[in-house]
Amino acid sequence: MRYSVFSAGPSFYVIPIKQVQEFDFEFKMSPVPYSDKRIEGVSSLRGRIITVVNLRNCLEIESNNLPKRRKMLVLDTVQLCREYEAFDARFSKDLIGIVVDRIEGIVDLDLKKSDVDIDSSSKGKYIEGVVNHEDKVLNLLSFPSIIKDIYKGQ
């Protein structure tokens, strides 16, 4: 399966590429007052509003040493709703963006359960496991878990 690789802080993360609708390298954002700290703001993509989620805030990564130009992955919420039955179908029409420090590329990973370290005690509630690939440790990110947590509080 193909995965999108991106970074936030010193760590690398992956999500299945089929969950990514597109990459946005030149986005402008408006803050949303009094919103959850994980929601950085809203943006517009070809006239559609995107809720922009800050991955660093979700994972509680310090915001020092931010790159000058961060990137955004626009997620395919229709695919997420299909793939995760527990994922609320009301999000299927929404666009959700994930702000990351860098988009590293796309990798092919043939993950078997034996390849993935799933010691959840050290990974946090949004990481499904960890896999070594070439010279990098890749954290398997569960973005549906992040979205459910954000919207649960509203």
Side-chain angles (χ1 to χ4, degrees):
M1 184 188 290
R2 300 179 81 196
Y3 289 82
S4 174
V5 182
F6 47 92
S7 63
S11 300
F12 296 96
Y13 302 90
V14 294
I15 59 173
I17 193 68
K18 66 184 177 180
Q19 293 179 4
V20 179
Q21 180 174 312
E22 65 185 272
F23 302 101
D24 193 350
F25 298 101
E26 300 288 331
F27 65 95
K28 292 184 176 155
M29 193 169 31
S30 299
V32 177
Y34 308 109
S35 65
D36 186 291
K37 71 173 186 163
R38 296 167 291 190
I39 295 177
E40 189 159 328
V42 293
S43 186
S44 176
L45 180 66
R46 292 183 291 284
R48 292 189 63 197
I49 301 298
I50 302 172
T51 300
V52 180
V53 175
N54 183 315
L55 185 60
R56 279 181 176 249
N57 289 348
C58 292
L59 300 175
E60 299 178 357
I61 299 171
E62 289 185 27
S63 291
N64 53 2
N65 299 322
L66 284 174
K68 290 180 182 175
R69 296 177 61 187
R70 295 179 297 157
K71 315 295 186 258
M72 182 169 54
L73 286 80
V74 179
L75 300 185
D76 183 346
T77 50
V78 172
Q79 177 66 31
L80 287 170
C81 287
R82 262 191 233 127
E83 204 169 314
Y84 298 91
E85 292 174 10
F87 197 66
D88 194 331
R90 70 184 162 144
F91 303 126
S92 67
K93 293 184 176 125
D94 295 347
L95 286 179
I96 297 174
I98 219 181
V99 174
V100 300
D101 294 352
R102 283 184 46 142
I103 295 172
E104 304 291 333
I106 297 170
V107 296
D108 286 311
L109 298 173
D110 182 22
L111 298 180
K112 300 174 188 84
K113 296 237 184 226
S114 60
D115 296 335
V116 179
D117 174 9
I118 53 171
D119 175 19
S120 60
S121 62
S122 62
K123 306 303 180 252
K125 61 184 174 178
Y126 303 132
I127 305 299
E128 295 177 334
V130 176
V131 65
N132 290 307
H133 179 71
E134 295 175 356
D135 63 340
K136 294 180 177 135
V137 174
L138 304 176
N139 295 283
L140 303 171
L141 185 66
S142 172
F143 200 71
S145 297
I146 293 172
I147 295 301
K148 281 191 239 176
D149 263 10
I150 291 172
Y151 283 96
K152 183 172 59 177
Q154 294 184 357

